[in-house]
């Protein structure tokens, strides 16, 4: 399959062995972004302690790049403060994977959006409490 | 391990027998088929004429000079439609086609609309099959052409071309069919099936790329797209690609010779894959017609799994998908959308295009990968969770989705 040649080893490693697949038990924040009609949906759930992300899990419907960036972002946010986590851009996620084919860069936006949505959700819930 | 090729709708490998007959015309027999004042040219001319006869025999054309050599089926489609339309003195009139044609037809139709012609799309059912009564109802006094493909490259649906041809002729219209995918798998006969023009591509039938043909029934005049030395009965100028025509002819000969046996073999292989998928994987949908289908085509959607990610899982197999993430346009397959297949299902589709070299063992190995990866990717899919929880994915309020425009 040619697509294997388009992706870096890191991308394929995360596609084949994705980290942190699933849903956090009793999550503090959940972000669901994307749309099945567009071909990708990501659900990111996080557990937060002392304003730091201590656990992050994902479920993703999407192409290889969407799965790999989802997996990578769950690794990158671990231990980060919420403000630090919000600084993580899709480009940084892609860079951590050794880059993505240009046409696949848009797939990495999903990971950034899901992270922001999960943190928003956490902050909203916190206010309501 | 060499990648197993399962994308025979896109192209096919050159048959060794075809290459063998082409070789002399790429080396010592370099003559120009128009230069018949000497042996070189006359031998080239004879080779071209033999190729033309072999193509004519494949489709049941009565005379070899009804075969116009082109650069491939895209050119053939263009020549058929523009050549006929632009021949009309007032540059107006009506063409009927369907929405799942190859882009060479659809984009040419759009071009002709801009030139003042009008185009109607005959309705198709959810399998892609044209409705003959609706087609009949679209015919107007100024209709001059019906162009409908013999079979579809994505979903494999075989159209009732003989019936369509009969309707066209009842109304004194011309009928053109793009038979690129059907040849070698479906018995096509231009006389029996009332076909006036028919597009052929060599590289879809184990011939070389860069050569094809348009069958043009005797008596039909087309405005040439390429002017010059008046080759090809004045309809397509340019020095003939002699080796290409020889290869096209040989490929046509083999397609005719092996039609029955190879179709039967491919059907068995296809059904093995289909039964394997349907018995071992739940929540799958066959796209295209359940029975009126090319012997070498399957198109399945695996719900809740995105097509590109599934193809990656099927490492070692060359496949294609209707998913947006495999196209430069970032749009899901226009063919599946025309069948009203929901976008999410279109993104989950995989096309399997079988061919001469494929075996039972390859199909069985692919099935293992499909079963394993669909399971793995569904466990990763938020949509699968939602479905299991009874949430309707179609009516769920999804976020506004604009990341494709970033």
């Amino acid at each position: 399959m040619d697509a294997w040649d388009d992706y870096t080893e890191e991308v394929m490693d995360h596609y084949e062995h994705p980290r942190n697949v699933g849903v956090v038990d009793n999550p503090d924040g959940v972000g669901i972004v994307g749309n099945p009609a567009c071909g990708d949906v990501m659900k990111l759930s996080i557990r937060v302690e002392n304003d730091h992300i201590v656990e992050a899990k994902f479920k993703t419907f999407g192409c290889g790049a969407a799965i790999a960036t989802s997996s990578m972002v769950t690794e990158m946010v671990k231990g980060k403060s919420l403000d630090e986590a919000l600084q993580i851009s899709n480009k940084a996620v892609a860079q951590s994977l050794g880059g993505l084919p240009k046409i696949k860069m848009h797939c990495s936006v999903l990971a950034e959006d899901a992270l922001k949505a999960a943190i928003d959700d956490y902050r909203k819930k916190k206010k309501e409490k | 391990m060499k990648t197993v090729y399962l994308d025979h709708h896109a192209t096919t490998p050159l048959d060794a027998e075809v290459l063998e007959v082409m070789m002399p015309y790429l080396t010592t027999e370099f003559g120009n088929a128009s230069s018949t004042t000497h042996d070189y040219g006359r031998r080239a001319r004879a080779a071209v004429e033999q190729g033309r006869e072999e193509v004519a025999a494949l489709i049941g054309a009565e005379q070899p000079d009804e075969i116009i050599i082109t650069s491939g089926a895209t050119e053939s489609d263009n020549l058929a439609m523009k050549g006929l339309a632009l021949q009309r003195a007032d540059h107006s009139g009506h063409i009927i086609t369907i929405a799942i044609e190859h882009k060479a037809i659809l984009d040419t139709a759009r071009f002709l609309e801009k030139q003042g012609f009008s185009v109607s799309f005959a309705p198709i059912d959810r399998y892609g099959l044209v409705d003959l009564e609706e087609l009949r109802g679209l015919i107007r006094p100024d209709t001059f052409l019906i162009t409908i493909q013999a079979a579809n490259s994505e979903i494999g649906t075989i159209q009732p071309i003989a019936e369509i041809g009969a309707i066209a002729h009842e109304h004194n219209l011309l009928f053109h069919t793009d038979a690129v995918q059907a040849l070698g798998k479906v018995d096509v006969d231009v006389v029996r099936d009332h076909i006036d023009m028919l597009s052929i591509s060599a590289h879809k039938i184990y011939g070389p790329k860069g050569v094809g043909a348009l069958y043009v029934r005797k008596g039909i005049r087309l405005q040439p797209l390429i002017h010059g030395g008046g080759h090809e009965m004045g309809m397509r100028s340019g020095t003939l690609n002699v080796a290409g025509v020889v290869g096209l002819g040989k490929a046509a000969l083999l397609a005719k010779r092996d039609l029955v046996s190879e179709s039967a073999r491919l059907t068995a292989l296809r059904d093995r894959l289909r039964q394997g998928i349907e018995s071992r994987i739940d929540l799958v949908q066959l796209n295209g017609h359940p029975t009126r289908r090319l012997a070498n085509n399957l198109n399945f959607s695996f719900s809740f799994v995105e097509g590109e990610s599934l193809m990656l899982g099927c490492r070692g197999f060359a496949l294609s998908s209707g998913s947006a993430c495999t196209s430069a346009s970032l749009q899901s397959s226009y063919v599946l959308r025309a069948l009203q297949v929901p976008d999410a299902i279109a993104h989950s589709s995989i096309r399997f295009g079988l061919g001469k070299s494929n075996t039972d063992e390859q199909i069985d190995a692919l099935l293992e990968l499909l079963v394993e990866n669909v399971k793995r990717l569904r466990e990763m899919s938020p949509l699968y969770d939602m479905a299991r929880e009874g949430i309707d994915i179609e009516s769920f309020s999804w976020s506004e989705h604009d990341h494709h425009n970033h």
Side-chain angles (χ1 to χ4, degrees):
Chain A
M1 173 63 213
D2 298 339
W4 281 75
D5 304 332
D6 295 342
Y7 288 135
T8 63
E9 268 178 45
E10 292 94 322
V11 170
M12 290 319 301
D13 180 44
H14 277 263
Y15 163 79
E16 283 197 295
H17 311 287
R19 281 55 146 185
N20 310 307
V21 176
V23 183
V24 171
D25 284 337
N26 301 314
D28 297 310
V30 178
I32 300 179
V33 297
N35 191 324
C38 301
D40 47 16
V41 175
M42 179 178 176
K43 178 177 177 176
L44 181 69
S45 53
I46 54 173
R47 195 155 62 82
V48 180
E49 281 174 14
N50 301 324
D51 237 33
H52 281 67
I53 297 174
V54 293
E55 194 181 3
K57 286 191 172 181
F58 82 93
K59 287 239 170 174
T60 290
F61 162 81
C63 64
I67 289 170
T69 50
S70 301
S71 168
M72 180 51 90
V73 84
T74 59
E75 291 278 273
M76 291 171 76
V77 296
K78 239 185 250 174
K80 289 222 164 55
S81 74
L82 295 178
D83 287 336
E84 283 168 350
L86 284 172
Q87 299 302 310
I88 296 172
S89 68
N90 71 303
K91 287 195 183 87
V93 180
Q95 267 165 22
S96 304
L97 289 165
L100 284 175
K102 206 170 171 200
I103 191 161
K104 295 282 184 183
M105 274 308 288
H106 69 93
C107 303
S108 64
V109 177
L110 199 69
E112 181 188 326
D113 288 353
L115 178 58
K116 285 182 176 143
I119 293 173
D120 270 1
D121 181 55
Y122 165 73
R123 287 182 165 161
K124 229 180 267 166
K125 280 180 185 158
K126 206 177 161 195
K127 257 189 209 159
E128 286 165 10
K129 273 183 190 167
Chain B
M1 193 187 88
K2 210 173 155 198
T3 299
V4 175
Y5 190 72
L6 282 175
D7 199 17
H8 289 85
H9 301 296
T11 193
T12 58
L14 188 68
D15 191 292
E17 283 186 67
V18 174
L19 176 62
E20 199 187 327
V21 298
M22 289 173 69
M23 278 308 279
Y25 299 94
L26 293 164
T27 50
T28 51
E29 294 293 341
F30 56 84
N32 184 330
S34 299
S35 304
T36 49
T37 54
H38 48 66
D39 282 0
Y40 289 98
R42 281 197 288 268
R43 284 198 298 270
R45 163 64 52 179
V48 164
E49 292 317 316
Q50 188 188 329
R52 220 188 283 283
E53 281 170 26
E54 287 162 341
V55 174
L58 174 65
I59 59 169
E62 286 177 328
Q63 297 174 40
D65 64 0
E66 293 174 313
I67 305 298
I68 307 299
I69 301 299
T70 66
S71 63
T74 290
E75 186 188 332
S76 299
D77 289 345
N78 271 266
L79 177 58
M81 295 175 73
K82 289 182 200 165
L84 190 67
L86 301 178
Q87 183 81 358
R88 295 169 68 83
D90 54 356
H91 279 209
S92 74
H94 179 230
I95 299 169
I96 302 173
T97 185
I98 55 175
I100 59 171
E101 288 291 324
H102 190 273
K103 291 286 185 186
I105 298 287
L106 295 177
D107 288 355
T108 303
R110 196 167 302 141
F111 167 81
L112 289 172
E113 267 185 320
K114 282 189 196 146
Q115 307 299 308
F117 295 91
S118 56
V119 176
S120 296
F121 294 90
I124 48 175
D125 68 13
R126 67 194 174 104
Y127 303 125
L129 212 54
V130 69
D131 184 315
L132 294 175
E133 285 319 300
E134 300 257 22
L135 171 68
R136 204 187 287 274
L138 284 172
I139 295 170
R140 317 192 310 212
D142 65 338
T143 306
F144 64 94
L145 175 67
I146 296 176
T147 173
I148 292 180
Q149 61 192 190
N152 186 272
S153 66
E154 285 192 36
I155 53 169
T157 299
I158 299 169
Q159 300 293 345
I161 51 169
E163 286 83 347
I164 296 167
I167 290 171
H169 287 182
E170 268 169 43
H171 293 82
N172 291 318
L173 309 175
L174 294 188
F175 174 43
H176 166 253
T177 187
D178 179 331
V180 165
Q181 297 292 337
L183 293 175
K185 289 140 219 148
V186 180
D187 176 29
V188 176
D189 184 303
V190 292
V191 176
R192 180 198 66 203
D193 298 341
H194 317 284
I195 297 164
D196 300 297
M197 294 188 282
L198 179 147
S199 298
I200 301 168
S201 168
H203 76 97
K204 309 281 191 184
I205 54 170
Y206 304 90
K209 290 167 183 63
V211 63
L214 179 67
Y215 161 78
V216 183
R217 186 188 292 276
K218 203 88 195 154
I220 298 172
R221 286 302 304 169
L222 300 178
Q223 188 67 237
L225 305 180
I226 298 173
H227 296 87
H231 309 75
E232 299 300 287
M233 320 341 136
M235 288 189 244
R236 205 285 188 180
S237 288
T239 296
L240 276 167
N241 170 4
V242 178
V245 179
V246 168
L248 168 65
K250 184 70 175 182
L253 184 100
L254 298 178
K256 186 176 165 66
R257 185 193 74 188
D258 299 339
L259 175 70
V260 175
S261 59
E262 186 59 10
S263 292
R265 198 189 71 85
L266 287 170
T267 302
L269 208 56
R270 180 197 70 187
D271 291 349
R272 185 185 190 92
L273 180 58
R274 180 177 171 180
Q275 280 153 20
I277 289 171
E278 288 179 338
S279 66
R280 297 181 62 187
I281 307 175
D282 62 351
L283 303 167
V284 296
Q285 174 185 316
L286 181 71
N287 299 309
H289 202 279
T291 54
R292 288 191 61 99
R293 167 166 219 120
L294 287 174
N296 69 329
N297 173 280
L298 274 184
N299 188 315
F300 268 102
S301 288
F302 300 85
S303 295
F304 319 120
V305 175
E306 195 275 339
E308 193 249 25
S309 68
L310 183 54
M311 286 200 299
L312 283 180
C314 296
R315 190 171 195 179
F317 288 86
L319 297 163
S320 75
S321 167
S323 155
C325 249
T326 60
S327 75
S329 66
L330 299 178
Q331 290 245 310
S332 61
S333 150
Y334 72 93
V335 171
L336 295 180
R337 279 184 283 137
L339 304 188
Q340 315 286 322
V341 170
D343 277 331
I345 299 292
H347 290 302
S348 300
S349 70
I350 303 272
R351 177 181 70 174
F352 305 93
L354 308 175
K356 273 188 196 175
S357 66
N358 297 132
T359 62
D360 284 352
E361 291 70 34
Q362 292 172 348
I363 294 304
D364 294 347
L366 175 63
L367 272 168
E368 294 307 318
L369 284 175
L370 284 170
V371 169
E372 177 192 324
N373 281 283
V374 168
K375 183 168 181 283
R376 184 177 90 86
L377 293 165
R378 278 185 182 159
E379 278 163 10
M380 216 187 289
S381 171
L383 303 180
Y384 191 48
D385 287 346
M386 291 172 73
R388 279 189 298 191
E389 288 160 20
I391 299 166
D392 180 14
I393 288 163
E394 287 290 306
S395 59
F396 184 81
S397 71
W398 294 101
S399 54
E400 276 304 310
H401 191 47
D402 62 351
H403 74 260
H404 289 147
N405 302 322
H406 278 232

